Amino acid sequence: MSTTEIFLVAMLIIFTVPYLIWRICKTDYYAPLVVVQIIAGILLGPGILGALYPDYYQFVFNQQVVQSLNGIAWWAVMLFVMIAGVELDLKKAWQHRRESTITAGLALGTPLIFGSIAALGMLTTDGWVGPNAMTWQFVVGIGMACAVTALPILILLMEKLEILRQPIGQRILRYASLDDIAIWGVLALILLDWTRVGRQLGFFVVFAVATFVYRKVMIRLQERDRWYVALIWLAACSMAADWAGLHFMVGAFLAGAVMDADWFNQEKMDMFRHHVLLAFMPVFFLSTGLRTNWAVGGTMVFVAAAVLLLASVSGKLAGIHVAGKILKWEKGEASIIGWLLQTKALIMIIFVNILLDKKIITSETFTALLLMAIASTMLTVPVVYPKLQRMKSLILKH
């Protein structure tokens, strides 16, 4: 078979397997299609399919095919991260700055501390720390992975729960938006390469000037032109950030963050996100699964994942409950908000992909974090839905 034919076999597997699992097993309540696609990526990776059928795995996912899939995956995740940047609503966060700052600060800081403690425990065993990592980079990276909230997936889950456009949904988006900025800021700090600090400073100076010009241009364009120019801007920012040593996904987030959501029709933006998830992101999930590794020992990877999940969920809930006490929320409100904000999935997977690329973590640590992200996301709807039913008045509360 030609490389093109094998590539199409891989694409057929990528889109067919998760869809059949999702539909036949009716997993939507606890595992939306996005989560099933991530799980399918792991199943199709070297740890499962590669171990059971090594010859078939090497035939389908050969170097040329994987290289082609990676190109699609890079562009898919750049689009997705840009959308996450565009959907940040900093104006609303500023209007409610006391509430938003207290909640977002505790929602991020507490699981960051809990996750960092878990990372210190991982330092005592070989096989978790990447070859290029300084100790603080590994500890802060793991801590931040535990603190991440997946804003785009949170939006999808709140749509499913029918609270996205309700007051509580908008509040949660404000908290998640502030944390999203902090997450990418910390990532940039972790990735800072002192041997290329001149390039990195130069990038931020040029980016600031280019942003000023770009915003002036975008305001004058019709909406149909803004969509196309946004893609040019995305490619330019991602290329410049990668050249500076900050990783192309940092550039993709910055590209979206400096855009105003009201430049685009909200319905069209929702559809754009939906289409990226539908047509491109499954390839990213597969390429993520191809990077999983159980070499430390399958049991230890699962133990690490469980510890990280405990640190992540308990830290997020503890922080939100403290915020609820300070802000005098109603009983049960903090629990709903905390469980929604502990959703991990895509943004955390993107985050740890970058840490793996930079060799700050090993593929074994990556696998444990990936399992933690899946479990975190699968817990959200089953836990939150009954709570919302018991507190219907909260949905309409400002």
Side-chain angles (χ1 to χ4, degrees), residues 2-8 10-11 59-71:
S2 68
T3 300
T4 304
E5 290 166 345
I6 299 171
F7 170 80
L8 292 173
M11 292 293 282
F59 173 72
V60 175
F61 299 112
N62 61 58
Q63 186 177 351
Q64 292 92 338
V65 169
V66 169
Q67 191 171 359
S68 301
L69 293 173
N70 282 342

Side-chain angles (χ1 to χ4, degrees), residues 132-150:
N132 292 349
M134 289 186 276
T135 301
W136 74 268
Q137 288 176 311
F138 177 81
V139 171
V140 174
I142 297 296
M144 190 54 74
C146 290
V148 165
T149 295

Side-chain angles (χ1 to χ4, degrees), residues 1-283:
M1 294 178 74
S2 68
T3 300
T4 304
E5 290 166 345
I6 299 171
F7 170 80
L8 292 173
V9 168
M11 292 293 282
L12 186 64
I13 294 169
I14 290 167
F15 283 92
T16 304
V17 172
Y19 178 77
L20 290 177
I21 295 171
W22 178 62
R23 274 296 180 212
I24 293 171
C25 299
K26 298 179 180 177
T27 67
D28 206 38
Y29 181 66
Y30 56 90
L33 180 57
V34 174
V35 175
V36 176
Q37 288 168 336
I38 297 168
I39 295 170
I42 295 174
L43 295 175
L44 295 170
I48 309 294
L49 180 66
L52 294 174
Y53 303 103
D55 293 340
Y56 181 76
Y57 177 82
Q58 290 296 331
F59 173 72
V60 175
F61 299 112
N62 61 58
Q63 186 177 351
Q64 292 92 338
V65 169
V66 169
Q67 191 171 359
S68 301
L69 293 173
N70 282 342
I72 297 173
W74 293 340
W75 184 242
V77 80
M78 285 162 60
L79 289 170
F80 202 80
V81 169
M82 182 193 74
I83 294 167
V86 172
E87 287 174 334
L88 293 177
D89 196 347
L90 299 181
K91 291 177 184 176
K92 285 280 181 68
W94 177 251
Q95 289 171 11
H96 303 271
R97 51 190 173 275
R98 179 177 177 270
E99 174 205 1
S100 298
T101 304
I102 289 171
T103 307
L106 287 165
L108 187 76
T110 314
L112 172 60
I113 292 168
F114 284 29
S116 297
I117 292 169
L120 289 171
M122 295 173 77
L123 288 173
T124 61
T125 308
D126 292 336
W128 303 113
V129 183
N132 292 349
M134 289 186 276
T135 301
W136 74 268
Q137 288 176 311
F138 177 81
V139 171
V140 174
I142 297 296
M144 190 54 74
C146 290
V148 165
T149 295
L151 182 60
I153 297 304
L154 179 62
I155 289 170
L156 293 177
L157 294 182
M158 288 199 296
E159 279 180 339
K160 181 181 177 64
L161 293 165
E162 299 180 348
I163 61 170
L164 178 60
R165 304 303 173 196
Q166 300 293 344
I168 187 173
Q170 294 303 298
R171 284 171 57 199
I172 292 168
L173 283 183
R174 291 201 304 271
Y175 310 147
S177 293
L178 285 179
D179 282 350
D180 221 26
I181 292 174
I183 288 159
W184 289 98
V186 170
L187 179 63
L189 180 64
I190 292 171
L191 298 181
L192 200 61
D193 183 350
W194 294 104
T195 63
R196 297 203 288 182
V197 71
R199 275 192 184 190
Q200 290 157 357
L201 289 174
F203 164 76
F204 284 115
V205 171
V206 173
F207 177 75
V209 175
T211 296
F212 178 79
V213 175
Y214 173 72
R215 289 179 60 82
K216 292 288 186 185
V217 170
M218 287 290 273
I219 290 168
R220 289 169 170 75
L221 294 175
Q222 294 181 8
E223 189 190 353
R224 65 182 182 184
D225 291 318
R226 286 175 183 168
W227 288 99
Y228 200 89
V229 173
L231 298 180
I232 298 171
W233 173 247
L234 168 63
C237 291
S238 300
M239 181 184 68
D242 209 66
W243 171 83
L246 290 172
H247 204 277
F248 64 86
M249 283 193 250
V250 174
F253 176 76
L254 290 173
V258 299
M259 295 190 224
D260 292 347
D262 56 16
W263 287 352
F264 307 96
N265 178 280
Q266 181 65 57
E267 191 175 330
K268 288 182 180 178
M269 182 60 76
D270 290 343
M271 288 301 295
F272 183 47
R273 184 181 64 248
H274 170 75
H275 290 145
V276 171
L277 268 172
L278 176 72
F280 296 104
M281 287 304 286
V283 180

Side-chain angles (χ1 to χ4, degrees), residues 91 112 287 335 360:
K91 291 177 184 176
L112 172 60
S287 67
S335 181
I360 292 168

